[in-house]
Amino acid sequence: MASNLPSPLTSFIGRQREIAEVKRLLATTRLLTLTGAGGSGKTRLAYELGAEALQEYPDGVWAVEFAPLSDADLVPQMTASALGVPEHPGWSLTESLVQHLRARSVLLLFDNCEHLIPACAALAEALLRGCATLRILTTSRERLGVTGELSFLVPSLSLPDPASLPPPERLTQYEAVRLFVERAAFNQPGFTSP
Ligand SMILES: Nc1ncnc2c1ncn2[C@@H]1O[C@H](COP(=O)(O)OP(=O)(O)OP(=O)(O)O)[C@@H](O)[C@H]1O
Ligand SMILES: [Mg+2]
């Protein structure tokens, strides 16, 4: 299956409710932005959703990782290189991307757009206008502000209430505890949950 999604190095925890809700929203819109505080798990959720959606997009799920990019002018270039779209003489890269995507069924994942919102919004809008079967899932601390965009606020992983903690053996029902236990065991073999 066509995709540039990296294989995750750690297991994915919880989020059944959020996955169901995001899938429902993605079926009703062509641009969905996962918003939320830094570190709430937007990127991890988006990649999980991308992997689960592979069967639905015959031409693939393609991720563009904007976190390391500081120059907004390079947003189309980064997208073209993620998709393997070459430059065409006389065309802008956005036009080349539209030509490439217009007859394809693709899910694009724009990851970490928050510092490049106007450029990501402009590209997303041009691609969606030019490519009828394209869908875009983005992660960004703030929504892009494009017409037709829906957003979903990603909550933090679930946590117990410190004022009424359950018995230790029941703590792993909480996602944040499971993440902590898994990462601790990864770094310190032999570490086990309560
Ligand atoms: N459901 C999950 N299962 C396993 N690990 C998770 C899960 N959610 C988040 N994490 C881990 O928590 C960390 C932060 O998550 P992530 O990078 O997705 O947050 P983010 O909201 O995209 O942050 P930022 O706003 O900085 O981009 C990462 O190490 C990620 O792998
Ligand atoms: Mg992120």
Side-chain angles (χ1 to χ4, degrees), residues 69-146:
L69 185 67
S70 52
D71 183 350
D73 291 342
L74 297 183
V75 163
Q77 191 168 318
M78 194 118 181
T79 307
S81 90
L83 284 158
V85 173
E87 292 196 36
H88 290 279
W91 292 0
S92 72
L93 265 175
T94 300
E95 286 165 342
S96 299
L97 281 163
V98 168
Q99 285 305 322
H100 176 84
L101 290 168
R102 82 164 2 133
R104 289 184 160 90
S105 174
V106 160
L107 176 66
L108 267 184
L109 208 165
F110 281 179
D111 189 28
N112 278 92
C113 298
E114 48 276 325
H115 55 304
L116 303 164
I117 285 182
C120 288
L123 181 62
E125 186 160 4
L127 296 181
L128 290 169
R129 280 189 194 285
C131 312
T133 50
L134 175 68
R135 276 173 205 245
I136 307 180
L137 176 64
T138 74
T139 81
S140 175
R141 292 181 197 175
E142 305 291 335
R143 47 185 289 141
L144 301 192
V146 171

Side-chain angles (χ1 to χ4, degrees), residues 10-15 36-45 112 114 141 157 179 183:
T10 54
S11 57
F12 184 79
I13 290 166
R15 296 298 207 188
S40 59
K42 303 178 290 296
T43 292
R44 194 67 203 255
L45 181 59
N112 278 92
E114 48 276 325
R141 292 181 197 175
L157 294 174
L179 179 62
R183 296 294 164 93

Side-chain angles (χ1 to χ4, degrees), residues 14-45:
R15 296 298 207 188
Q16 280 83 5
R17 215 165 356 103
E18 289 79 8
I19 285 178
E21 178 62 6
V22 173
K23 281 184 175 166
R24 194 186 66 74
L25 290 172
L26 205 49
T28 66
T29 185
R30 297 180 56 218
L31 174 60
L32 178 65
T33 297
L34 304 183
T35 61
S40 59
K42 303 178 290 296
T43 292
R44 194 67 203 255
L45 181 59

